[in-house]
PDB file of all heavy atoms in Angstrom:
ATOM      1  N   MET A 210      16.457  -3.239 -11.235  1.00 96.00           N
ATOM      2  CA  MET A 210      15.731  -4.026 -10.231  1.00 96.00           C
ATOM      3  C   MET A 210      15.656  -5.501 -10.603  1.00 96.00           C
ATOM      4  O   MET A 210      15.699  -6.380  -9.743  1.00 96.00           O
ATOM      5  CB  MET A 210      14.315  -3.467 -10.029  1.00 96.00           C
ATOM      6  CG  MET A 210      13.519  -4.200  -8.967  1.00 96.00           C
ATOM      7  SD  MET A 210      11.831  -3.578  -8.787  1.00 96.00           S
ATOM      8  CE  MET A 210      12.073  -2.242  -7.645  1.00 96.00           C
ATOM      9  N   THR A 211      15.517  -5.782 -11.886  1.00 96.00           N
ATOM     10  CA  THR A 211      15.314  -7.165 -12.321  1.00 96.00           C
ATOM     11  C   THR A 211      16.565  -7.768 -12.974  1.00 96.00           C
ATOM     12  O   THR A 211      16.565  -8.954 -13.328  1.00 96.00           O
ATOM     13  CB  THR A 211      14.160  -7.234 -13.339  1.00 96.00           C
ATOM     14  OG1 THR A 211      14.402  -6.264 -14.360  1.00 96.00           O
ATOM     15  CG2 THR A 211      12.822  -6.967 -12.699  1.00 96.00           C
ATOM     16  N   ALA A 212      17.613  -6.958 -13.130  1.00 95.00           N
ATOM     17  CA  ALA A 212      18.793  -7.391 -13.906  1.00 95.00           C
ATOM     18  C   ALA A 212      19.364  -8.717 -13.393  1.00 95.00           C
ATOM     19  O   ALA A 212      19.638  -9.624 -14.187  1.00 95.00           O
ATOM     20  CB  ALA A 212      19.851  -6.303 -13.884  1.00 95.00           C
ATOM     21  N   ASP A 213      19.549  -8.830 -12.080  1.00 94.00           N
ATOM     22  CA  ASP A 213      20.164 -10.045 -11.542  1.00 94.00           C
ATOM     23  C   ASP A 213      19.312 -11.272 -11.821  1.00 94.00           C
ATOM     24  O   ASP A 213      19.815 -12.329 -12.195  1.00 94.00           O
ATOM     25  CB  ASP A 213      20.361  -9.914 -10.022  1.00 94.00           C
ATOM     26  CG  ASP A 213      21.655  -9.172  -9.713  1.00 94.00           C
ATOM     27  OD1 ASP A 213      22.434  -8.939 -10.660  1.00 94.00           O
ATOM     28  OD2 ASP A 213      21.863  -8.811  -8.532  1.00 94.00           O
ATOM     29  N   LEU A 214      17.997 -11.117 -11.621  1.00 92.00           N
ATOM     30  CA  LEU A 214      17.082 -12.247 -11.827  1.00 92.00           C
ATOM     31  C   LEU A 214      17.049 -12.688 -13.283  1.00 92.00           C
ATOM     32  O   LEU A 214      16.960 -13.884 -13.576  1.00 92.00           O
ATOM     33  CB  LEU A 214      15.665 -11.833 -11.425  1.00 92.00           C
ATOM     34  CG  LEU A 214      15.177 -12.239 -10.049  1.00 92.00           C
ATOM     35  CD1 LEU A 214      13.803 -11.634  -9.810  1.00 92.00           C
ATOM     36  CD2 LEU A 214      15.114 -13.762  -9.913  1.00 92.00           C
ATOM     37  N   LEU A 215      17.089 -11.716 -14.191  1.00 95.00           N
ATOM     38  CA  LEU A 215      16.901 -12.038 -15.612  1.00 95.00           C
ATOM     39  C   LEU A 215      18.180 -12.482 -16.298  1.00 95.00           C
ATOM     40  O   LEU A 215      18.137 -12.921 -17.442  1.00 95.00           O
ATOM     41  CB  LEU A 215      16.308 -10.823 -16.355  1.00 95.00           C
ATOM     42  CG  LEU A 215      14.933 -10.348 -15.861  1.00 95.00           C
ATOM     43  CD1 LEU A 215      14.448  -9.172 -16.707  1.00 95.00           C
ATOM     44  CD2 LEU A 215      13.898 -11.474 -15.887  1.00 95.00           C
ATOM     45  N   LYS A 216      19.330 -12.380 -15.595  1.00 95.00           N
ATOM     46  CA  LYS A 216      20.570 -12.682 -16.325  1.00 95.00           C
ATOM     47  C   LYS A 216      20.850 -14.178 -16.483  1.00 95.00           C
ATOM     48  O   LYS A 216      21.665 -14.546 -17.315  1.00 95.00           O
ATOM     49  CB  LYS A 216      21.756 -11.905 -15.752  1.00 95.00           C
ATOM     50  CG  LYS A 216      22.372 -12.425 -14.504  1.00 95.00           C
ATOM     51  CD  LYS A 216      23.516 -11.490 -14.086  1.00 95.00           C
ATOM     52  CE  LYS A 216      23.970 -11.874 -12.697  1.00 95.00           C
ATOM     53  NZ  LYS A 216      24.518 -10.788 -11.952  1.00 95.00           N
ATOM     54  N   THR A 217      20.153 -15.034 -15.720  1.00 96.00           N
ATOM     55  CA  THR A 217      20.318 -16.476 -15.953  1.00 96.00           C
ATOM     56  C   THR A 217      18.998 -17.052 -16.483  1.00 96.00           C
ATOM     57  O   THR A 217      17.921 -16.559 -16.133  1.00 96.00           O
ATOM     58  CB  THR A 217      20.658 -17.221 -14.639  1.00 96.00           C
ATOM     59  OG1 THR A 217      19.549 -17.084 -13.741  1.00 96.00           O
ATOM     60  CG2 THR A 217      21.909 -16.670 -13.976  1.00 96.00           C
ATOM     61  N   PRO A 218      19.074 -18.090 -17.320  1.00 95.00           N
ATOM     62  CA  PRO A 218      17.838 -18.701 -17.842  1.00 95.00           C
ATOM     63  C   PRO A 218      16.950 -19.222 -16.708  1.00 95.00           C
ATOM     64  O   PRO A 218      15.718 -19.125 -16.779  1.00 95.00           O
ATOM     65  CB  PRO A 218      18.346 -19.848 -18.712  1.00 95.00           C
ATOM     66  CG  PRO A 218      19.792 -19.573 -18.990  1.00 95.00           C
ATOM     67  CD  PRO A 218      20.302 -18.698 -17.884  1.00 95.00           C
ATOM     68  N   GLU A 219      17.583 -19.718 -15.619  1.00 95.00           N
ATOM     69  CA  GLU A 219      16.783 -20.233 -14.488  1.00 95.00           C
ATOM     70  C   GLU A 219      16.021 -19.096 -13.809  1.00 95.00           C
ATOM     71  O   GLU A 219      14.851 -19.236 -13.460  1.00 95.00           O
ATOM     72  CB  GLU A 219      17.685 -20.909 -13.425  1.00 95.00           C
ATOM     73  CG  GLU A 219      18.473 -22.114 -13.910  1.00 95.00           C
ATOM     74  CD  GLU A 219      19.674 -21.739 -14.789  1.00 95.00           C
ATOM     75  OE1 GLU A 219      20.275 -20.662 -14.582  1.00 95.00           O
ATOM     76  OE2 GLU A 219      19.981 -22.524 -15.707  1.00 95.00           O
ATOM     77  N   GLY A 220      16.710 -17.975 -13.614  1.00 95.00           N
ATOM     78  CA  GLY A 220      16.075 -16.811 -12.978  1.00 95.00           C
ATOM     79  C   GLY A 220      14.918 -16.308 -13.825  1.00 95.00           C
ATOM     80  O   GLY A 220      13.822 -16.032 -13.321  1.00 95.00           O
ATOM     81  N   ALA A 221      15.162 -16.190 -15.134  1.00 96.00           N
ATOM     82  CA  ALA A 221      14.113 -15.693 -16.036  1.00 96.00           C
ATOM     83  C   ALA A 221      12.926 -16.652 -16.041  1.00 96.00           C
ATOM     84  O   ALA A 221      11.762 -16.220 -16.012  1.00 96.00           O
ATOM     85  CB  ALA A 221      14.677 -15.517 -17.441  1.00 96.00           C
ATOM     86  N   ALA A 222      13.211 -17.962 -16.027  1.00 97.00           N
ATOM     87  CA  ALA A 222      12.121 -18.950 -16.047  1.00 97.00           C
ATOM     88  C   ALA A 222      11.288 -18.847 -14.766  1.00 97.00           C
ATOM     89  O   ALA A 222      10.053 -18.981 -14.801  1.00 97.00           O
ATOM     90  CB  ALA A 222      12.701 -20.358 -16.190  1.00 97.00           C
ATOM     91  N   MET A 223      11.958 -18.566 -13.647  1.00 94.00           N
ATOM     92  CA  MET A 223      11.232 -18.432 -12.385  1.00 94.00           C
ATOM     93  C   MET A 223      10.285 -17.222 -12.428  1.00 94.00           C
ATOM     94  O   MET A 223       9.125 -17.308 -12.054  1.00 94.00           O
ATOM     95  CB  MET A 223      12.249 -18.259 -11.251  1.00 94.00           C
ATOM     96  CG  MET A 223      11.706 -18.526  -9.890  1.00 94.00           C
ATOM     97  SD  MET A 223      12.986 -18.161  -8.681  1.00 94.00           S
ATOM     98  CE  MET A 223      12.757 -16.408  -8.488  1.00 94.00           C
ATOM     99  N   VAL A 224      10.809 -16.103 -12.952  1.00 96.00           N
ATOM    100  CA  VAL A 224       9.975 -14.899 -13.067  1.00 96.00           C
ATOM    101  C   VAL A 224       8.811 -15.169 -14.018  1.00 96.00           C
ATOM    102  O   VAL A 224       7.647 -14.849 -13.726  1.00 96.00           O
ATOM    103  CB  VAL A 224      10.820 -13.702 -13.590  1.00 96.00           C
ATOM    104  CG1 VAL A 224       9.937 -12.493 -13.851  1.00 96.00           C
ATOM    105  CG2 VAL A 224      11.917 -13.358 -12.597  1.00 96.00           C
ATOM    106  N   ASP A 225       9.123 -15.781 -15.174  1.00 97.00           N
ATOM    107  CA  ASP A 225       8.092 -15.997 -16.192  1.00 97.00           C
ATOM    108  C   ASP A 225       6.982 -16.930 -15.707  1.00 97.00           C
ATOM    109  O   ASP A 225       5.836 -16.826 -16.161  1.00 97.00           O
ATOM    110  CB  ASP A 225       8.723 -16.569 -17.474  1.00 97.00           C
ATOM    111  CG  ASP A 225       9.704 -15.581 -18.106  1.00 97.00           C
ATOM    112  OD1 ASP A 225       9.690 -14.398 -17.717  1.00 97.00           O
ATOM    113  OD2 ASP A 225      10.488 -16.015 -18.973  1.00 97.00           O
ATOM    114  N   ALA A 226       7.314 -17.819 -14.772  1.00 96.00           N
ATOM    115  CA  ALA A 226       6.292 -18.738 -14.260  1.00 96.00           C
ATOM    116  C   ALA A 226       5.203 -17.971 -13.518  1.00 96.00           C
ATOM    117  O   ALA A 226       4.030 -18.356 -13.533  1.00 96.00           O
ATOM    118  CB  ALA A 226       6.941 -19.770 -13.343  1.00 96.00           C
ATOM    119  N   SER A 227       5.554 -16.859 -12.871  1.00 95.00           N
ATOM    120  CA  SER A 227       4.511 -16.100 -12.156  1.00 95.00           C
ATOM    121  C   SER A 227       4.072 -14.857 -12.927  1.00 95.00           C
ATOM    122  O   SER A 227       3.067 -14.244 -12.579  1.00 95.00           O
ATOM    123  CB  SER A 227       4.968 -15.738 -10.742  1.00 95.00           C
ATOM    124  OG  SER A 227       6.187 -15.066 -10.791  1.00 95.00           O
ATOM    125  N   VAL A 228       4.840 -14.469 -13.952  1.00 97.00           N
ATOM    126  CA  VAL A 228       4.469 -13.284 -14.749  1.00 97.00           C
ATOM    127  C   VAL A 228       4.460 -13.661 -16.234  1.00 97.00           C
ATOM    128  O   VAL A 228       5.394 -13.354 -16.976  1.00 97.00           O
ATOM    129  CB  VAL A 228       5.460 -12.114 -14.515  1.00 97.00           C
ATOM    130  CG1 VAL A 228       4.931 -10.820 -15.125  1.00 97.00           C
ATOM    131  CG2 VAL A 228       5.760 -11.923 -13.033  1.00 97.00           C
ATOM    132  N   PRO A 229       3.397 -14.338 -16.700  1.00 97.00           N
ATOM    133  CA  PRO A 229       3.354 -14.716 -18.123  1.00 97.00           C
ATOM    134  C   PRO A 229       3.153 -13.475 -18.997  1.00 97.00           C
ATOM    135  O   PRO A 229       2.278 -12.659 -18.708  1.00 97.00           O
ATOM    136  CB  PRO A 229       2.136 -15.654 -18.199  1.00 97.00           C
ATOM    137  CG  PRO A 229       1.301 -15.315 -17.003  1.00 97.00           C
ATOM    138  CD  PRO A 229       2.217 -14.753 -15.947  1.00 97.00           C
ATOM    139  N   MET A 230       3.996 -13.320 -20.034  1.00 98.00           N
ATOM    140  CA  MET A 230       3.887 -12.123 -20.884  1.00 98.00           C
ATOM    141  C   MET A 230       3.810 -12.527 -22.361  1.00 98.00           C
ATOM    142  O   MET A 230       4.783 -12.414 -23.110  1.00 98.00           O
ATOM    143  CB  MET A 230       5.077 -11.186 -20.627  1.00 98.00           C
ATOM    144  CG  MET A 230       5.109 -10.671 -19.197  1.00 98.00           C
ATOM    145  SD  MET A 230       6.492  -9.544 -18.834  1.00 98.00           S
ATOM    146  CE  MET A 230       6.050  -8.090 -19.780  1.00 98.00           C
ATOM    147  N   PRO A 231       2.621 -12.999 -22.810  1.00 98.00           N
ATOM    148  CA  PRO A 231       2.505 -13.456 -24.204  1.00 98.00           C
ATOM    149  C   PRO A 231       2.694 -12.340 -25.226  1.00 98.00           C
ATOM    150  O   PRO A 231       3.051 -12.628 -26.370  1.00 98.00           O
ATOM    151  CB  PRO A 231       1.086 -14.033 -24.263  1.00 98.00           C
ATOM    152  CG  PRO A 231       0.352 -13.430 -23.108  1.00 98.00           C
ATOM    153  CD  PRO A 231       1.382 -13.185 -22.044  1.00 98.00           C
ATOM    154  N   LEU A 232       2.442 -11.094 -24.853  1.00 98.00           N
ATOM    155  CA  LEU A 232       2.627  -9.984 -25.796  1.00 98.00           C
ATOM    156  C   LEU A 232       4.009  -9.346 -25.624  1.00 98.00           C
ATOM    157  O   LEU A 232       4.275  -8.646 -24.650  1.00 98.00           O
ATOM    158  CB  LEU A 232       1.548  -8.907 -25.597  1.00 98.00           C
ATOM    159  CG  LEU A 232       1.716  -7.664 -26.486  1.00 98.00           C
ATOM    160  CD1 LEU A 232       1.509  -8.005 -27.957  1.00 98.00           C
ATOM    161  CD2 LEU A 232       0.792  -6.545 -26.053  1.00 98.00           C
ATOM    162  N   ASN A 233       4.904  -9.644 -26.535  1.00 98.00           N
ATOM    163  CA  ASN A 233       6.218  -8.980 -26.630  1.00 98.00           C
ATOM    164  C   ASN A 233       7.174  -9.230 -25.466  1.00 98.00           C
ATOM    165  O   ASN A 233       8.201  -8.569 -25.356  1.00 98.00           O
ATOM    166  CB  ASN A 233       6.053  -7.469 -26.860  1.00 98.00           C
ATOM    167  CG  ASN A 233       5.503  -7.177 -28.241  1.00 98.00           C
ATOM    168  OD1 ASN A 233       5.718  -7.960 -29.167  1.00 98.00           O
ATOM    169  ND2 ASN A 233       4.789  -6.085 -28.394  1.00 98.00           N
ATOM    170  N   TYR A 234       6.812 -10.138 -24.548  1.00 97.00           N
ATOM    171  CA  TYR A 234       7.730 -10.613 -23.489  1.00 97.00           C
ATOM    172  C   TYR A 234       8.232  -9.440 -22.626  1.00 97.00           C
ATOM    173  O   TYR A 234       7.542  -8.433 -22.488  1.00 97.00           O
ATOM    174  CB  TYR A 234       8.862 -11.419 -24.137  1.00 97.00           C
ATOM    175  CG  TYR A 234       9.592 -12.353 -23.202  1.00 97.00           C
ATOM    176  CD1 TYR A 234       8.916 -13.113 -22.238  1.00 97.00           C
ATOM    177  CD2 TYR A 234      10.978 -12.477 -23.270  1.00 97.00           C
ATOM    178  CE1 TYR A 234       9.614 -13.974 -21.396  1.00 97.00           C
ATOM    179  CE2 TYR A 234      11.684 -13.334 -22.430  1.00 97.00           C
ATOM    180  CZ  TYR A 234      10.986 -14.072 -21.483  1.00 97.00           C
ATOM    181  OH  TYR A 234      11.674 -14.906 -20.645  1.00 97.00           O
ATOM    182  N   HIS A 235       9.380  -9.577 -21.999  1.00 98.00           N
ATOM    183  CA  HIS A 235       9.867  -8.565 -21.046  1.00 98.00           C
ATOM    184  C   HIS A 235       9.879  -7.175 -21.688  1.00 98.00           C
ATOM    185  O   HIS A 235      10.228  -7.032 -22.854  1.00 98.00           O
ATOM    186  CB  HIS A 235      11.267  -8.924 -20.549  1.00 98.00           C
ATOM    187  CG  HIS A 235      11.318 -10.244 -19.843  1.00 98.00           C
ATOM    188  ND1 HIS A 235      12.468 -10.972 -19.689  1.00 98.00           N
ATOM    189  CD2 HIS A 235      10.339 -10.985 -19.247  1.00 98.00           C
ATOM    190  CE1 HIS A 235      12.221 -12.088 -19.025  1.00 98.00           C
ATOM    191  NE2 HIS A 235      10.925 -12.123 -18.758  1.00 98.00           N
ATOM    192  N   GLN A 236       9.516  -6.167 -20.869  1.00 98.00           N
ATOM    193  CA  GLN A 236       9.291  -4.860 -21.463  1.00 98.00           C
ATOM    194  C   GLN A 236      10.385  -3.850 -21.102  1.00 98.00           C
ATOM    195  O   GLN A 236      10.957  -3.897 -20.019  1.00 98.00           O
ATOM    196  CB  GLN A 236       7.907  -4.341 -21.044  1.00 98.00           C
ATOM    197  CG  GLN A 236       7.655  -4.269 -19.552  1.00 98.00           C
ATOM    198  CD  GLN A 236       6.175  -4.188 -19.207  1.00 98.00           C
ATOM    199  OE1 GLN A 236       5.661  -4.956 -18.406  1.00 98.00           O
ATOM    200  NE2 GLN A 236       5.471  -3.226 -19.774  1.00 98.00           N
ATOM    201  N   PRO A 237      10.648  -2.908 -22.030  1.00 98.00           N
ATOM    202  CA  PRO A 237      11.607  -1.843 -21.727  1.00 98.00           C
ATOM    203  C   PRO A 237      10.936  -0.790 -20.839  1.00 98.00           C
ATOM    204  O   PRO A 237       9.707  -0.662 -20.844  1.00 98.00           O
ATOM    205  CB  PRO A 237      11.918  -1.257 -23.114  1.00 98.00           C
ATOM    206  CG  PRO A 237      10.685  -1.508 -23.908  1.00 98.00           C
ATOM    207  CD  PRO A 237      10.082  -2.782 -23.379  1.00 98.00           C
ATOM    208  N   PRO A 238      11.720  -0.016 -20.082  1.00 98.00           N
ATOM    209  CA  PRO A 238      11.121   1.008 -19.214  1.00 98.00           C
ATOM    210  C   PRO A 238      10.300   2.039 -19.983  1.00 98.00           C
ATOM    211  O   PRO A 238       9.336   2.592 -19.440  1.00 98.00           O
ATOM    212  CB  PRO A 238      12.322   1.657 -18.508  1.00 98.00           C
ATOM    213  CG  PRO A 238      13.553   1.106 -19.134  1.00 98.00           C
ATOM    214  CD  PRO A 238      13.184  -0.115 -19.896  1.00 98.00           C
ATOM    215  N   GLU A 239      10.621   2.247 -21.252  1.00 98.00           N
ATOM    216  CA  GLU A 239       9.851   3.220 -22.057  1.00 98.00           C
ATOM    217  C   GLU A 239       8.380   2.830 -22.149  1.00 98.00           C
ATOM    218  O   GLU A 239       7.502   3.690 -22.243  1.00 98.00           O
ATOM    219  CB  GLU A 239      10.418   3.326 -23.486  1.00 98.00           C
ATOM    220  CG  GLU A 239      11.736   4.046 -23.607  1.00 98.00           C
ATOM    221  CD  GLU A 239      12.946   3.213 -23.193  1.00 98.00           C
ATOM    222  OE1 GLU A 239      12.786   2.004 -22.879  1.00 98.00           O
ATOM    223  OE2 GLU A 239      14.050   3.769 -23.178  1.00 98.00           O
TER     224      GLU A 239
END
Side-chain angles (χ1 to χ4, degrees):
M210 182 182 274
T211 51
D213 276 351
L214 261 175
L215 299 182
K216 79 181 170 208
T217 64
E219 299 75 32
M223 198 184 85
V224 174
D225 296 346
S227 54
V228 191
M230 297 180 69
L232 176 67
N233 291 332
Y234 200 41
H235 300 159
Q236 56 198 128
E239 287 78 5

